[in-house]
Amino acid sequence: MANPLHDALLAPHAGSDRPLIRDADGGALSYAGFLDLAGRAAGVLDVRGLVPGDRLVVQVEKSVAALAIYAACLARGVIFVPLNPAYTDPEVAYFVGDAEPALVVRDPARDGALEVPVLTLSSTGEGSFTRATAETGGTLEPVDRGTDDLAAFLYTSGTTGRSKGAMLTHGNLLSNARALVETWEVTGDDVLLHALPIFHAHGLFVAVDTTLLAGASMIWMPKFDARGVVAALPGATTMMGVPTFYTRLLAEEGFDRGAAGHMRLFVSGSAPLLAETHARFEARTGHRILERYGMTETGMNTSNPYGGERRAGTVGLPLPGTEVRVTGEDGALPAGEIGMIEVRGPNVFPGYWRMPDKTAEELGPEGWFTTGDLGAIDTDGYVTIVGRGKDLVISGGYNVYPKEVEQVLDAAPGVVETAVIGVPHPDFGEGVVAVVVAEGPPDLDLLAQAAAQQLADYKRPKAYEVVDALPRNAMGKIQKAELRERLRGTFA
Ligand code: MLC
Ligand code: AMP
């Protein structure tokens, strides 16, 4: 009987009293303790009748109990579908309708009705899910799985405004974890400072899967807070973050060589790290941040080298096993030329859940996935991302698809049309701005209210700009580049 992720990430730690989780207060949970929690969570899935291939939606605050549910799903072949707790009820209703889960685990504070079985789990571990675990005493017995079997769906928004469930297999996640452990030289001696959310690829697969694979441990922080990170750093050897983590750390008093000098590695990704942040970080701490590039659909694709030259402004070299090419209208382009970045390898997902047409648009017959990112590869093989071919804003590492926000604002009374753009933001990298054309003077409070009711907080515009008309080209297409240029000082 085989189960790739269970066998590589969980089984080797059976009975181990080495710490997996260290909390900021000095408490620890051993690998054996974690596997016991996961076994109990798996028992709840059994009692609830979940079978391999069923989906389990989990929308809860970050907690070790939530992580144990992930491990339980891997062992039992249940597809783990994590959702950002910030998603509003209308957003959750869409995901649940699309994924058709056999069970949803939610925060007890959420009261929006769902037409599927629900158990609750709070950030402190209370709720009907936990009560159910007390009655199960389950073990983490794995079911048989192959590399092509599905392990998780991660929803990612699209340019049409409709979120797509990216299906990820055991083979996708395990090959990527292996490539990262090898590239970053992660070992059982590492202690990762974990301050990322665990409902996205970065905090879950990049951070947790590599830790489990290497038998390392994690300092577990419920969310990023710069002061807490500085206080916890002495016990850590590595940290992963989005660029906002690093700019916030640079603004924190006491963050210097003394606090960070002992660290082995700082990794950045999910959004572009400004070369200026890279330089300031090195000047302050002596560390060159290692930048890597990935996506929900592909996991990680490239990374600057651990031992070799880390080039600021680049995302480094293809990971072992992953191919990267840059294409133009006539196919692959030579070194130095800018085009569409495409990737292929065992890390690339098999498609979007129940969206064969969308899948075929982005995943070619030979396995090349069109990332939507524009870039170039230099003669040494380093990849540089120069922009995006897709209409996407990345704010503090979260993706915001303008179309989704525009659809909500356009539906408000008196609004003729809107264009949502991202402009430079000192904290979030890009900040969301809505440019609004209305029949009369628009009620901006009403717009903000519509956004608050329907969109997760990070998607809501942080500024509104009222204009008489949107700039269009001869084809009638809205000129977002012109708007971005005009409004680039909004958050300066
Ligand atoms: C929070 N807010 C954001 C925001 N996060 N707004 C825009 N962008 C964000 N990222 C909202 C809050 O709701 C609040 O709204 C206001 O902005 C200020 O909040 P804050 O207290 O300053 O924010 P905080 O809670 O500290 O969160 C910021 C953050 C967080 C950077 C710590 O966003 C974060 O953890 N980001 C990581 C995202 C991530 O993991 N991405 C990986 C995706 S995987 P109000 O209205 O209350 O004022 C991926 C693939 C890959 O992309 O390559 O890795
Ligand atoms: P997501 O859909 O959340 O997985 O976001 C993936 C997108 O994040 C990629 O397509 C890139 O546009 C962006 N991204 C990830 N890492 C980097 C990076 N290091 N530099 C620039 N953009 C990045």
Side-chain angles (χ1 to χ4, degrees), residues 156 200-201 268-273 291-297 314-315 371-373 385 387-388 390 392 394 397-399 401:
T156 156
H200 275 312
S268 176
S270 310
L273 182 76
E291 186 170 7
R292 88 327 178 257
Y293 159 58
M295 294 187 72
T296 301
E297 292 90 334
T314 83
V315 292
T371 61
D373 295 310
I385 299 173
R388 293 177 206 131
K390 51 192 170 189
L392 163 69
I394 304 185
Y398 287 136
N399 289 6
Y401 278 87

Side-chain angles (χ1 to χ4, degrees), residues 10-18 30-33 35:
L10 305 170
H13 309 298
S16 166
D17 58 10
R18 287 169 52 82
S30 68
Y31 268 95
L35 295 180

Side-chain angles (χ1 to χ4, degrees), residues 155-474:
Y155 275 90
T156 156
S157 292
T159 41
T160 57
R162 239 184 111 204
S163 285
K164 303 163 286 183
M167 303 188 287
L168 299 162
T169 66
H170 277 248
N172 293 150
L173 301 183
L174 185 53
S175 66
N176 214 226
R178 287 199 168 121
L180 294 174
V181 165
E182 178 188 331
T183 303
W184 297 340
E185 301 183 17
V186 186
T187 72
D189 293 332
D190 274 313
V191 182
L192 172 73
L193 198 156
H194 194 304
L196 286 158
I198 54 167
F199 45 77
H200 275 312
H202 197 164
L204 187 60
F205 306 137
V206 182
V208 172
D209 288 358
T210 54
T211 299
L212 293 171
L213 185 64
S217 54
M218 297 182 275
I219 296 176
W220 193 250
M221 300 185 66
K223 62 168 287 209
F224 177 84
D225 106 80
R227 190 167 301 170
V229 166
V230 172
L233 272 180
T237 64
T238 60
M239 177 177 149
M240 296 176 190
V242 298
T244 299
F245 286 17
Y246 294 111
T247 48
R248 287 189 181 182
L249 278 173
L250 284 168
E252 188 62 26
E253 226 175 283
F255 183 67
D256 53 19
R257 271 170 207 258
H262 70 284
M263 291 283 282
R264 185 174 78 73
L265 179 63
F266 289 96
V267 179
S268 176
S270 310
L273 182 76
L274 295 179
E276 186 220 337
T277 309
H278 193 276
R280 283 177 55 217
F281 199 90
E282 185 175 13
R284 183 83 74 81
T285 65
H287 281 284
R288 290 178 73 77
I289 296 175
L290 183 156
E291 186 170 7
R292 88 327 178 257
Y293 159 58
M295 294 187 72
T296 301
E297 292 90 334
T298 64
M300 301 302 105
N301 299 312
T302 70
S303 170
N304 270 280
Y306 179 68
E309 187 193 349
R310 299 181 196 167
R311 290 191 192 164
T314 83
V315 292
L317 308 160
L319 285 168
T322 299
E323 297 170 86
V324 180
R325 69 178 186 184
V326 169
T327 60
E329 292 203 339
D330 299 323
L333 295 172
E337 287 193 27
I338 293 171
M340 176 61 70
I341 300 177
E342 298 186 0
V343 297
R344 180 165 74 173
N347 54 312
V348 174
F349 79 146
Y352 297 110
W353 168 247
R354 291 181 179 161
M355 289 189 182
D357 296 345
K358 258 286 156 218
T359 301
E361 266 172 43
E362 294 176 25
L363 190 58
E366 285 164 15
W368 287 102
F369 177 73
T370 306
T371 61
D373 295 310
L374 302 175
I377 308 177
D378 72 12
T379 45
D380 298 333
Y382 281 73
V383 178
T384 301
I385 299 173
V386 298
R388 293 177 206 131
K390 51 192 170 189
D391 191 14
L392 163 69
V393 179
I394 304 185
S395 174
Y398 287 136
N399 289 6
V400 182
Y401 278 87
K403 187 84 193 164
E404 193 184 349
V405 184
E406 289 160 4
Q407 281 170 348
V408 168
L409 301 180
D410 288 351
V415 171
V416 176
E417 61 175 349
T418 58
V420 167
I421 55 169
V423 300
H425 189 287
D427 186 27
F428 294 122
E430 289 183 294
V432 175
V433 177
V435 187
V436 181
V437 180
E439 281 157 6
D443 183 344
L444 294 181
D445 287 343
L446 208 69
L447 287 189
Q449 225 174 55
Q453 276 160 5
Q454 294 178 63
L455 301 167
D457 51 14
Y458 65 89
K459 300 179 189 171
R460 298 171 198 157
K462 295 205 185 294
Y464 289 86
E465 181 75 15
V466 180
V467 298
D468 292 333
L470 297 174
R472 290 192 138 83
N473 67 10

